[in-house]
Amino acid sequence: TQQLLSSPVPRARPYRICNWDRSIRKGLVAESLRELLDKVRATLLMVGAISLVLDEDGTSVETEEFFQTLEEGTVFMVLGSGQTWRAAKVAGYQL
Amino acid sequence: TQQLLSSPVPRARPYRICNWDRSIRKGLVAESLRELLDKVRATLLMVGAISLVLDEDGTSVETEEFFQTLEEGTVFMVLGSGQTWRAAKVAGYQL
């Protein structure tokens, strides 16, 4: 139909998610930010508001259109209420 | 039949698995996460719950759909009860 042809169909892509202290790290497949958030809540058993930031630098990912520009395999950190992103310790410089 | 044509048939692909301390490393062929888990249990003689994580970064592989996005030759670490992933020591920086 016209509607199907007019916009590209999003396809499920693999991502990796970790929790705030990076003690949990899982692979998930999703075709949208909304779907990824739903799967994160279900797999990490989180309730309430959660947000996703890029693990590499803490960039907040809030919109579907920015999400769709990210590459397969992008690593997200999941933040619940009161949790904040911190840079990962650099190998060789453990304090 | 139509059903067979509409979704790609999974095919057996090669993977590599290692145990928690990387003292054992084997090649296995499987067409699904379930089949790989069965073969891991049989070849490493592990009983009880086991899980697979990516050897490279400890990402937990829990779903068939994420498993199917992984490339041939992916290296998995097999974790039994109480075992945890640790990063491989980097050559030249052994602590």
Side-chain angles (χ1 to χ4, degrees):
Chain A
T1 71
Q2 283 192 325
Q3 199 170 20
L4 279 172
L5 292 172
S6 64
S7 65
V9 179
R11 59 194 181 82
R13 300 190 301 165
Y15 301 99
R16 298 178 191 190
I17 58 113
C18 64
N19 64 341
W20 71 278
D21 66 357
R22 299 186 177 86
S23 61
I24 300 173
R25 192 174 176 96
K26 296 185 190 227
L28 288 176
V29 170
E31 64 180 38
S32 66
L33 176 58
R34 187 192 186 104
E35 184 183 8
L36 185 59
L37 284 166
D38 287 343
K39 289 192 172 183
V40 163
R41 282 195 198 87
T43 193
L44 295 185
L45 304 175
M46 295 178 81
V47 291
I50 62 171
S51 63
L52 296 183
V53 303
L54 298 183
D55 182 44
E56 61 182 54
D57 66 358
T59 298
S60 184
V61 180
E62 299 179 347
T63 65
E64 201 69 62
E65 65 181 341
F66 183 73
F67 176 81
Q68 291 296 342
T69 68
L70 297 169
E71 292 182 4
E72 290 190 359
T74 294
V75 184
F76 298 94
M77 177 177 285
V78 182
L79 298 177
S81 175
Q83 296 176 344
T84 54
W85 174 89
R86 286 196 188 187
K89 288 176 184 168
V90 178
Y93 290 94
Q94 307 278 356
L95 299 177
Chain B
T1 71
Q2 283 191 324
Q3 199 169 20
L4 278 172
L5 291 172
S6 63
S7 66
V9 178
R11 59 196 180 82
R13 299 190 302 166
Y15 301 99
R16 299 178 189 190
I17 58 114
C18 65
N19 65 340
W20 71 278
D21 66 357
R22 299 186 178 87
S23 61
I24 301 173
R25 193 175 175 98
K26 298 186 188 224
L28 288 175
V29 169
E31 65 179 38
S32 66
L33 176 59
R34 188 191 187 105
E35 183 182 6
L36 185 59
L37 284 165
D38 287 344
K39 289 192 172 182
V40 164
R41 280 194 199 89
T43 194
L44 294 185
L45 303 176
M46 295 178 81
V47 291
I50 62 170
S51 62
L52 296 184
V53 303
L54 298 182
D55 183 43
E56 62 181 50
D57 67 358
T59 298
S60 184
V61 180
E62 300 180 346
T63 66
E64 201 68 63
E65 65 180 342
F66 182 74
F67 176 80
Q68 292 296 341
T69 68
L70 298 168
E71 292 182 4
E72 291 190 358
T74 294
V75 184
F76 297 93
M77 178 177 284
V78 183
L79 298 176
S81 175
Q83 296 177 344
T84 54
W85 174 88
R86 286 197 187 187
K89 288 176 183 168
V90 178
Y93 288 94
Q94 308 278 355
L95 298 176

